[in-house]
Amino acid sequence: MSETDSSALAPQADQRTLRGVITDWGGVMTNPIIETVTAWLEADGIDRDSYRTVMRAWVAQAYADGDDVSPIRALERGECTEAEFERQLAEQLIRDDGGAVVADGLLARMFAASEYDHLMHDLIRAARQAGLRTGLLSNSWGGGYPRDLFPELFDAVVISGEVGMRKPEPAIFRLAAELLELDPGECLFIDDIEENIRAAEAVGLVGVHHRNAEQTAARVRELLGISV
């Protein structure tokens, strides 16, 4: 969604009573996923073209209509184990030195360079302190969530693999709102994937497409009237 599209939402959103904020985790509450992936590819000596080729195809499958086999969709819905996904991905990758990519622990290495985006954490805390309900809605690629932080950040947590649904499925957005005891139209939703924003808006949530923390914080302040 472009900045123009986002601005076009303002009149509609401002007429609503927004009482909740739901956010993605990786790439929103953390540094961009591309940074963690790049660090992993360099550390493991993996050929970037081989990674781009497989991920381009797998992501397209994951967001396409229909029931075609999709490793990403299966992982995020909890229909395959992390070990099974790691094995499938490792088989598709090529090391710069021609050696085999180690499958065991691949996902942990992929996200090892993740760092908290402190402005986004402060934004969620500010929303909660202002009396809004806050929730996490994340498509899981592993169990490396800092769950010790969740009680201070979120009133409800929805992890895709734990509920057998994934973004952009409509039911998972409705579940997140329901757990906050809110209607979808009372919720703001933040995500770095445009397809997920469109799906959330179709259910009735107000979407904010995350590109960086400063822009997102400004948009959330505009919609909710809170400061960080």
Side-chain angles (χ1 to χ4, degrees), residues 16 28 55 68 71 98 105 108 114 136 155 157-158 190 201 215 228:
R16 309 187 196 184
V28 176
M55 274 299 150
D68 292 344
S114 292
L136 174 69
D155 296 297
V157 172
V158 178
I190 305 168
E201 291 174 341
Q215 181 177 320
V228 181

Short mmCIF file of all heavy atoms in Angstrom, two decimals, residues 16 28 55 68 71 98 105 108 114 136 155 157-158 190 201 215 228:
data_model
loop_
_atom_site.label_atom_id
_atom_site.label_comp_id
_atom_site.label_asym_id
_atom_site.label_seq_id
_atom_site.Cartn_x
_atom_site.Cartn_y
_atom_site.Cartn_z
N ARG A 16 -13.96 6.05 13.08
CA ARG A 16 -14.13 4.89 13.93
C ARG A 16 -13.60 5.17 15.32
O ARG A 16 -12.82 6.08 15.55
CB ARG A 16 -13.39 3.68 13.36
CG ARG A 16 -13.67 3.39 11.91
CD ARG A 16 -13.00 2.08 11.55
NE ARG A 16 -12.91 1.92 10.11
CZ ARG A 16 -12.45 0.83 9.51
NH1 ARG A 16 -12.03 -0.18 10.24
NH2 ARG A 16 -12.38 0.76 8.21
N VAL A 28 8.74 -6.00 12.15
CA VAL A 28 8.00 -4.86 12.69
C VAL A 28 8.51 -4.54 14.09
O VAL A 28 9.00 -3.44 14.35
CB VAL A 28 6.48 -5.12 12.72
CG1 VAL A 28 5.73 -3.96 13.39
CG2 VAL A 28 5.95 -5.33 11.31
N MET A 55 13.07 -18.90 -2.52
CA MET A 55 12.14 -18.10 -1.73
C MET A 55 11.12 -17.38 -2.60
O MET A 55 9.95 -17.24 -2.22
CB MET A 55 12.90 -17.09 -0.86
CG MET A 55 13.35 -17.67 0.45
SD MET A 55 11.94 -18.22 1.44
CE MET A 55 12.70 -19.56 2.35
N ASP A 68 -2.29 -25.57 -3.46
CA ASP A 68 -1.01 -26.10 -3.91
C ASP A 68 -0.07 -26.27 -2.72
O ASP A 68 -0.11 -25.51 -1.75
CB ASP A 68 -0.36 -25.15 -4.92
CG ASP A 68 -1.12 -25.10 -6.23
OD1 ASP A 68 -1.94 -26.02 -6.46
OD2 ASP A 68 -0.92 -24.15 -7.00
N PRO A 71 5.66 -25.09 1.18
CA PRO A 71 6.40 -25.30 2.43
C PRO A 71 6.20 -24.18 3.44
O PRO A 71 6.11 -24.45 4.65
CB PRO A 71 7.85 -25.38 1.95
CG PRO A 71 7.77 -25.84 0.53
CD PRO A 71 6.52 -25.19 -0.01
N GLY A 98 30.40 -24.89 -2.56
CA GLY A 98 29.90 -26.13 -3.14
C GLY A 98 29.48 -27.18 -2.14
O GLY A 98 28.97 -28.23 -2.52
N GLY A 105 19.09 -26.65 12.76
CA GLY A 105 19.26 -25.32 13.33
C GLY A 105 19.23 -24.19 12.32
O GLY A 105 19.55 -23.04 12.66
N ALA A 108 17.07 -21.09 13.32
CA ALA A 108 17.69 -20.32 14.40
C ALA A 108 18.82 -19.46 13.85
O ALA A 108 18.98 -18.29 14.24
CB ALA A 108 18.20 -21.24 15.50
N SER A 114 18.50 -11.03 14.56
CA SER A 114 17.33 -10.21 14.90
C SER A 114 17.65 -9.31 16.08
O SER A 114 18.29 -9.71 17.05
CB SER A 114 16.13 -11.10 15.24
OG SER A 114 15.66 -11.79 14.11
N LEU A 136 -0.52 -9.38 19.57
CA LEU A 136 0.48 -9.85 18.62
C LEU A 136 -0.19 -10.85 17.69
O LEU A 136 -0.91 -11.74 18.14
CB LEU A 136 1.64 -10.54 19.36
CG LEU A 136 2.69 -11.21 18.47
CD1 LEU A 136 3.49 -10.16 17.71
CD2 LEU A 136 3.63 -12.09 19.30
N ASP A 155 -1.91 -7.87 25.36
CA ASP A 155 -3.05 -8.45 26.08
C ASP A 155 -3.45 -9.79 25.48
O ASP A 155 -4.11 -10.59 26.15
CB ASP A 155 -4.24 -7.50 26.03
CG ASP A 155 -3.95 -6.18 26.74
OD1 ASP A 155 -3.72 -6.21 27.96
OD2 ASP A 155 -3.92 -5.13 26.06
N VAL A 157 -1.99 -12.90 22.41
CA VAL A 157 -0.94 -13.34 21.50
C VAL A 157 -1.50 -14.45 20.61
O VAL A 157 -2.04 -15.44 21.10
CB VAL A 157 0.29 -13.86 22.28
CG1 VAL A 157 1.30 -14.51 21.33
CG2 VAL A 157 0.94 -12.73 23.07
N VAL A 158 -1.36 -14.27 19.30
CA VAL A 158 -1.78 -15.29 18.33
C VAL A 158 -0.57 -15.64 17.47
O VAL A 158 -0.08 -14.81 16.71
CB VAL A 158 -2.94 -14.79 17.45
CG1 VAL A 158 -3.31 -15.87 16.42
CG2 VAL A 158 -4.14 -14.42 18.30
N ILE A 190 -0.78 -3.64 12.20
CA ILE A 190 0.52 -3.24 11.65
C ILE A 190 1.23 -4.49 11.13
O ILE A 190 1.39 -5.47 11.86
CB ILE A 190 1.39 -2.57 12.73
CG1 ILE A 190 0.65 -1.39 13.37
CG2 ILE A 190 2.72 -2.11 12.14
CD1 ILE A 190 1.33 -0.86 14.63
N GLU A 201 -7.62 -5.49 6.11
CA GLU A 201 -8.58 -4.45 5.77
C GLU A 201 -9.87 -5.04 5.22
O GLU A 201 -10.96 -4.51 5.46
CB GLU A 201 -7.95 -3.48 4.77
CG GLU A 201 -6.84 -2.63 5.38
CD GLU A 201 -6.11 -1.78 4.37
OE1 GLU A 201 -6.19 -2.08 3.15
OE2 GLU A 201 -5.46 -0.81 4.81
N GLN A 215 8.02 6.07 10.40
CA GLN A 215 6.81 6.27 9.61
C GLN A 215 5.60 5.63 10.27
O GLN A 215 4.51 6.22 10.31
CB GLN A 215 7.01 5.70 8.20
CG GLN A 215 5.81 5.88 7.29
CD GLN A 215 6.08 5.37 5.88
OE1 GLN A 215 7.18 5.55 5.34
NE2 GLN A 215 5.11 4.70 5.29
N VAL A 228 4.81 8.92 21.75
CA VAL A 228 5.83 7.99 22.23
C VAL A 228 6.92 8.79 22.90
O VAL A 228 7.47 9.72 22.27
CB VAL A 228 6.41 7.17 21.06
CG1 VAL A 228 7.46 6.18 21.58
CG2 VAL A 228 5.32 6.43 20.32
#
